[in-house]
Amino acid sequence: DVKVTQSSRYLVKRTGEKVFLECVQDMDHENMFWYRQDPGLGLRLIYFSYDVKMKEKGDIPEGYSVSREKKERFSLILESASTNQTSMYLCASGTGGFYGYTFGSGTRLTVV
Amino acid sequence: RKEVEQDPGPFNVPEGATVAFNCTYSNSASQSFFWYRQDCRKEPKLLMSVYSSGNEDGRFTAQLNRASQYISLLIRDSKLSDSATYLCVAKNFGNEKLTFGTGTRLTIIP
């Protein structure tokens, strides 16, 4: 089975801190994604990447950046955390075509 | 208008009943479709892909109607363990992005 591992399950950070969320997949997938999930809004795409050092903005990239230095690792960076970035963050990976993606178990981030 | 729309529910259904969810999508460039299941405070997990010819996996049947741009999921002989939120998902070839509906919450009642 594909394994997608997110480094932290729960995280509490202060406003203004720089926050790193890490995601690692073990199946040599090209595509990796970062979503956030909020009640009533569903999953919204922040950034995605098709390959090493490639990144594309999703629907809500403001306040975030990403890094993909190695194929298996995709990091989400909150440059200066704000309270409106309190959310569940979900990483996913997969291949193209007719296949779905596998999600990590999520990081519940609280910014105080 | 949202790109993928679902009835949020909740659907409260007695155990053993059949329940059906529908989902509509607006982007005609969407090429492949999925149903994901999400338990409370957990990550979404792929339930099944949806093909034009329809596909079945045990008690679950998924269908796609491209002309009307809707997807359905049928659950027969529902179990208590089927209680979850079901997410309808569209994928565009080319950019490979998944677009999610906001989910339909299902509770199976003993």
Side-chain angles (χ1 to χ4, degrees), chain A residues 25-72:
Chain A
Q25 50 95 2
D26 65 358
M27 282 299 289
D28 201 35
H29 286 157
E30 298 88 6
N31 304 332
M32 295 188 75
F33 301 81
W34 276 104
Y35 288 86
R36 65 177 281 178
Q37 186 174 28
D38 301 286
L41 297 177
L43 279 91
R44 294 179 291 167
L45 181 62
I46 305 171
Y47 265 97
F48 60 106
S49 170
Y50 296 136
D51 206 344
V52 176
K53 297 195 187 294
M54 293 183 67
K55 60 185 178 185
E56 298 282 344
K57 291 181 180 179
D59 302 316
I60 51 162
E62 296 78 20
Y64 303 95
S65 62
V66 289
S67 172
R68 195 165 180 199
E69 296 296 318
K70 293 185 177 182
K71 193 172 187 179
E72 68 271 18

Side-chain angles (χ1 to χ4, degrees), chain B residues 4 13 49 74 91 105-106 109-110:
Chain B
V4 177
V13 173
S49 303
L74 185 79
K91 185 181 188 183
R105 186 164 177 185
L106 172 67
I109 303 163

Side-chain angles (χ1 to χ4, degrees), chain B residues 52-108:
Chain B
S52 294
S53 53
N55 48 302
E56 193 171 304
D57 183 2
R59 298 181 294 108
F60 298 83
T61 301
Q63 294 208 302
L64 166 64
N65 184 317
R66 287 193 187 272
S68 302
Q69 296 191 194
Y70 82 77
I71 304 131
S72 65
L73 177 69
L74 185 79
I75 307 174
R76 290 180 299 278
D77 186 25
S78 53
K79 312 287 184 195
L80 296 176
S81 58
D82 294 333
S83 296
T85 296
Y86 290 84
L87 301 166
C88 175
V89 185
K91 185 181 188 183
N92 294 351
F93 276 15
N95 64 29
E96 305 297 339
K97 287 169 31 175
L98 295 184
T99 301
F100 286 79
T102 51
T104 298
R105 186 164 177 185
L106 172 67
T107 301
I108 305 300

Side-chain angles (χ1 to χ4, degrees), chain A residues 1-4 25-27 29 102:
Chain A
D1 275 355
V2 176
K3 195 161 184 186
V4 180
Q25 50 95 2
D26 65 358
M27 282 299 289
H29 286 157
T102 300

